[in-house]
Amino acid sequence: GSNWQEISTGLVTAQFYNIDVAISDPSVAMGGTQDNGTLVFSGEANTWSRALRGDGFHCNIDYVFPDTMYLEQQFGTHKRTYDGGQSMASIMTGIGENGNWNTPVHLDYESQSILYTAHRKIYKTVDRGEHWVAKTVNLTGTGVSIAQCLGYPKVLYVAFSGFRSIYRSLDKGDTWIAVSASGLPDRSITCVKTHPSEPFSLFVATSGFAAPNVFKSGDGGETFVPIHGNLPEIPINTIEIDSQDSSKIYIGTDLGVWWSEEGGEVWLPYGVGLPNTVVSDLCILDRERMLRAGTYGRGLWEVPLDGGGAVAVHESWNRGGFGVISIFPNPLGTDDLSVRFGVEERSRVRVQLFDVSGRLIEAPLDRELEVGVHTVAWQTHASNGVYFVKVREGQKVSAGKIIIQR
């Protein structure tokens, strides 16, 4: 133990709380991380730079000028930069109390000079953060999530840390009322999200290893019904809805990304190759048809969006010749399971099936394979549930989720 050698080169372990992408320049992205500050990504240079130290949280990039960014440190300490993070200004005038450890901030869809945040009060600024005005008295708990309807931007919602604590505004955040939120459980709300064109259609995610954890309201948050469907009993951390096809709902969970295009009755793991990790935040790039996922421990990932229904589960988060290409059928309703994968060099390859606890269930392949694309099919005897298929080539591992529902 007297001499140590570093063997972590290339290991990506960034713990993102929140992410954002520049609409006007998707090569620019940013994210707030645990202990490593707020990081800015330049896709053209393929580099990350630190814009703000400490813990980083919610971040927002101006829709027109990508060098204008809003950043945050713990408990709602708000900052602004006009030069992509080279210099920073505090924008706290008018805010009189701490917020949540991770305080929500939202940049208005219509006017880039308007932002909203929620500490114990809900605040609004109309001058890019120079002055904040409290629009409520102290409310129950501290703010955790803000949502605005894209098609009807006068309608906003804010969720607070108290159970079933949601507030609604119909006048662009100037006045707020509490909604009943009937039907939500006694668990912490993690995210609120509006339908892109239906202002009274609201989605809510909650935390906890329980079910249900995804809900929908059709009356502006007064009543909710569960849309958890076949999801496992895991925390749901974030929700995204495709504005070009609002039937498609994406969620970030403690077991990766899932999606539904059937109102939440049926959920599928989205994409193959994403590490089996906590997904804290999601962001859709409408023009590029891309979904980005900020993970808590494995950095930032992306996958193309595709309009082919359930076949989108075959999309790969991987880049390169090695890795799982598809697991099918998914979900599996019989015993006949197949996995298709790529091999980069002639070597010993193992295909294994694990349950969510990491226990090895089956190992249908363990032998040398040539370079190329291979398909392994076998009859699985695993019971109903969520599993992971892992393909190992030497020291490389690629994995994908499979749901068994007979």
Side-chain angles (χ1 to χ4, degrees):
S2 58
N3 294 296
W4 290 87
Q5 179 182 359
E6 182 182 356
I7 57 173
S8 59
T9 301
L11 187 63
V12 178
T13 59
Q15 297 171 307
F16 283 102
Y17 284 111
N18 297 96
I19 61 171
D20 197 19
V21 179
I23 292 177
S24 59
D25 183 2
S27 68
V28 177
M30 66 188 307
T33 71
Q34 170 68 38
D35 286 335
N36 286 289
T38 299
L39 308 178
V40 177
F41 178 70
S42 171
E44 293 182 356
N46 197 30
T47 58
W48 288 92
S49 60
R50 183 178 288 111
L52 190 64
R53 295 186 178 275
D55 294 295
F57 298 96
H58 274 79
C59 46
N60 306 85
I61 303 176
D62 189 278
Y63 303 134
V64 178
F65 304 105
D67 282 342
T68 297
M69 301 172 174
Y70 302 90
L71 306 85
E72 179 188 80
Q73 292 171 312
Q74 55 265 41
F75 303 118
T77 302
H78 303 284
K79 309 281 186 177
R80 184 192 60 220
T81 176
Y82 286 133
D83 53 16
Q86 298 302 309
S87 61
M88 205 70 57
S90 174
I91 50 171
M92 293 293 292
T93 301
I95 296 177
E97 78 281 357
N98 283 344
N100 198 288
W101 172 251
N102 184 2
T103 297
V105 182
H106 176 71
L107 179 60
D108 189 83
Y109 289 140
E110 280 191 320
S111 172
Q112 285 81 3
S113 64
I114 298 177
L115 293 95
Y116 310 89
T117 189
H119 290 230
R120 292 188 66 84
K121 303 181 181 79
I122 299 174
Y123 291 89
K124 177 180 177 179
T125 176
V126 297
D127 54 10
R128 298 183 182 272
E130 289 294 329
H131 304 89
W132 294 91
V133 177
K135 297 298 182 178
T136 67
V137 297
N138 283 344
L139 302 174
T140 303
T142 51
V144 295
S145 183
I146 302 174
Q148 183 180 25
C149 181
L150 181 64
Y152 294 85
K154 288 186 177 182
V155 180
L156 293 101
Y157 299 85
V158 176
F160 276 70
S161 55
F163 296 150
R164 295 180 294 280
S165 184
I166 300 176
Y167 296 82
R168 183 180 68 222
S169 173
L170 302 179
D171 56 6
K172 220 171 177 65
D174 286 328
T175 60
W176 296 84
I177 62 168
V179 300
S180 300
S182 174
L184 293 182
D186 289 341
R187 291 195 292 277
S188 298
I189 295 174
T190 55
C191 180
V192 291
K193 190 74 176 182
T194 59
H195 188 284
S197 60
E198 299 174 6
F200 287 92
S201 181
L202 180 67
F203 297 84
V204 165
T206 57
S207 189
F209 290 91
N213 269 336
V214 192
F215 303 85
K216 181 180 179 180
S217 170
D219 56 10
E222 298 298 335
T223 59
F224 285 88
V225 295
I227 56 168
H228 196 96
N230 59 303
L231 285 169
E233 295 182 353
I234 54 175
I236 312 300
N237 306 309
T238 186
I239 302 172
E240 268 291 343
I241 302 172
D242 190 346
S243 64
Q244 296 187 21
D245 186 352
S246 57
S247 67
K248 295 178 179 178
I249 309 168
Y250 302 85
I251 57 174
T253 79
D254 276 18
L255 278 176
V257 176
W258 296 64
W259 80 307
S260 175
E261 59 177 349
E262 299 170 3
E265 292 184 11
V266 177
W267 294 88
L268 296 171
Y270 192 80
V272 172
L274 179 69
N276 302 318
T277 188
V278 174
V279 174
S280 306
D281 202 8
L282 294 172
C283 185
I284 290 178
L285 287 72
D286 284 326
R287 186 178 63 191
E288 289 71 23
R289 304 306 297 149
M290 189 75 68
L291 176 67
R292 285 186 176 161
T295 74
Y296 194 77
R298 293 299 304 273
L300 181 67
W301 293 70
E302 67 179 25
V303 65
L305 293 174
D306 132 332
V311 299
V313 77
H314 302 323
E315 292 291 341
S316 176
W317 295 82
N318 289 44
R319 298 289 184 267
F322 165 73
V324 174
I325 298 172
S326 59
I327 304 169
F328 56 95
N330 195 356
L332 179 68
T334 66
D335 294 338
D336 298 316
L337 179 59
S338 298
V339 56
R340 193 164 182 257
F341 56 92
V343 174
E344 280 187 322
E345 57 187 42
R346 181 176 179 176
S347 60
R348 178 190 175 191
V349 176
R350 288 173 288 171
V351 176
Q352 300 167 313
L353 182 72
F354 292 85
D355 66 13
V356 292
S357 70
R359 181 169 60 98
L360 177 63
I361 304 300
E362 294 169 345
L365 179 74
D366 186 353
R367 63 184 176 88
E368 190 173 272
L369 292 179
E370 299 290 340
V371 175
V373 176
H374 301 265
T375 300
V376 173
W378 76 100
Q379 285 199 325
T380 179
H381 301 292
S383 57
N384 289 355
V386 179
Y387 296 86
F388 301 97
V389 176
K390 290 188 178 181
V391 176
R392 302 175 185 270
E393 177 189 328
Q395 298 299 312
K396 295 175 289 188
V397 180
S398 179
K401 300 185 192 72
I402 175 72
I403 299 172
I404 299 178
Q405 288 182 319
R406 295 186 184 88

